[in-house]
């Protein structure tokens, strides 16, 4: 099966500019995640969608970050305005199951590397 | 959320076994132990998971201590392609629609030819 697709792979912007990332999860996967990975650290969950509803956005800086998942499939993550500390890799992941399940493997995309100058 | 502790880095020789340790002394009865790895310039990928019993799959083995306060990921014969950051994660499947993954610093494994 095709993996999780993300675009763009790289983006360079200046601070205070806006940027958007796109994710296409594996077909049929109900749950979609956005993670932020700062250099040298493990990924940190920003937001989790179950179909097109938000399950967890407790770590999303809502004053500048927004995300949506239209029709429960593709998703976009937006930053407006960007700050220097937003420089990171933004990873999208998806998993098949909905509801609690012991086996809920997450499949990750290659990520988008954002550099804010 | 229960925390895990892993060494920052480890070295291995190619074709030798590797034992990657993880301490999780505050693990709860409903936490599953998951391992993911992240190869350079890629997203993380699932390796293995378990609850109480030791587990084997095509990638690795997971040995879980009897008191569940620690576990060890075993790569039976390391290859150069196994060089990656390995994350040990505790996940409660009954939390937040399947339980979110909380990544720590992980262990950076380097494999020497």
């Amino acid at each position: 099966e095709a993996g999780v697709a993300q675009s763009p792979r790289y983006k360079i912007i200046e601070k205070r500019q806006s940027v958007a990332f796109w994710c296409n999860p594996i077909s049929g996967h109900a749950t979609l995640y956005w993670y932020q990975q700062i250099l040298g650290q493990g990924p940190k969950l920003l937001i989790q969608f179950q179909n097109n509803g938000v399950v967890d956005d407790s770590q999303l800086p809502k004053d500048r970050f927004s995300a949506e998942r239209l029709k429960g499939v593709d998703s976009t993550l937006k930053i407006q305005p960007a700050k220097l500390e937003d420089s990171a890799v933004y990873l999208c992941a998806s998993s098949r199951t909905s509801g609690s399940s012991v086996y809920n493997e997450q499949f990750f995309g290659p990520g988008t590397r954002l550099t804010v100058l | 959320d229960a925390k895990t502790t892993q060494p920052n880095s480890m070295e291995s020789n190619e074709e030798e076994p590797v034992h990657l340790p993880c301490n999780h002394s505050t693990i709860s009865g409903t936490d599953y132990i998951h391992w993911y790895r992240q190869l350079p310039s890629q997203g993380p990928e699932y390796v293995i998971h378990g609850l109480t019993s030791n587990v084997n799959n095509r990638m690795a083995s997971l040995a879980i201590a009897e008191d569940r306060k620690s576990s060890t990921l075993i790569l039976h014969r390391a290859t150069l392609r196994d060089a990656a950051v390995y994350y040990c994660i505790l996940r409660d499947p009954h939390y937040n629609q399947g339980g979110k993954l909380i990544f720590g610093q992980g262990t950076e494994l380097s494999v020497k030819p």
Side-chain angles (χ1 to χ4, degrees):
Chain A
E1 59 185 356
V4 176
Q6 290 189 248
S7 68
R9 290 297 311 277
Y10 305 91
K11 189 74 177 178
I12 300 174
I13 62 173
E14 295 190 349
K15 60 183 179 183
R16 291 188 289 272
Q17 286 188 323
S18 303
V19 65
F21 313 124
W22 173 82
C23 172
N24 180 234
I26 293 172
S27 177
H29 279 198
T31 310
L32 185 146
Y33 314 79
W34 283 102
Y35 290 85
Q36 178 192 58
Q37 185 171 24
I38 293 171
L39 188 64
Q41 299 181 17
K44 181 184 81 171
L45 180 70
L46 292 175
I47 189 166
Q48 176 181 346
F49 290 95
Q50 185 71 34
N51 297 308
N52 59 355
V54 175
V55 174
D56 184 352
D57 63 357
S58 58
Q59 297 294 303
L60 187 74
K62 298 179 186 62
D63 58 334
R64 299 184 299 107
F65 285 64
S66 64
E68 60 181 4
R69 189 180 184 195
L70 300 174
K71 300 180 182 178
V73 183
D74 293 5
S75 177
T76 56
L77 176 70
K78 296 179 182 177
I79 308 175
Q80 181 179 10
K83 293 185 175 181
L84 296 177
E85 59 260 36
D86 297 332
S87 293
V89 175
Y90 290 84
L91 295 159
C92 179
S94 68
S95 60
R96 185 188 313 276
T97 57
S98 59
S100 62
S101 169
V102 170
Y103 184 71
N104 192 26
E105 178 183 348
Q106 292 187 24
F107 295 82
F108 285 79
T112 297
R113 182 176 298 276
L114 173 68
T115 302
V116 182
L117 302 176
Chain B
D1 298 306
K3 296 281 192 275
T4 64
T5 304
Q6 300 177 253
N8 288 333
S9 62
M10 290 185 65
E11 278 191 354
S12 171
N13 293 317
E14 197 175 14
E15 298 190 4
E16 290 185 357
V18 182
H19 289 65
L20 296 164
C22 181
N23 288 319
H24 28 78
S25 58
T26 59
I27 190 170
S28 74
T30 52
D31 281 333
Y32 281 73
I33 302 159
H34 289 248
W35 284 81
Y36 278 72
R37 73 179 185 180
Q38 188 169 21
L39 280 64
S41 301
Q42 296 187 26
E45 64 175 352
Y46 168 85
V47 177
I48 200 167
H49 78 281
L51 182 62
T52 56
S53 304
N54 294 344
V55 184
N56 299 296
N57 66 20
R58 63 175 180 80
M59 289 181 72
S61 296
L62 177 60
I64 301 172
E66 201 168 326
D67 63 5
R68 300 209 328 123
K69 293 184 185 294
S70 65
S71 60
T72 302
L73 180 71
I74 302 166
L75 306 180
H76 296 285
R77 289 183 66 208
T79 70
L80 297 179
R81 288 174 295 179
D82 291 323
V85 178
Y86 287 77
Y87 297 99
C88 170
I89 303 166
L90 301 183
R91 178 182 156 262
D92 183 345
H94 304 295
Y95 176 76
N96 267 359
Q97 297 286 333
K100 61 185 178 184
L101 297 177
I102 300 176
F103 290 82
Q105 294 284 102
T107 296
E108 183 170 11
L109 175 67
S110 57
V111 181
K112 296 184 290 184

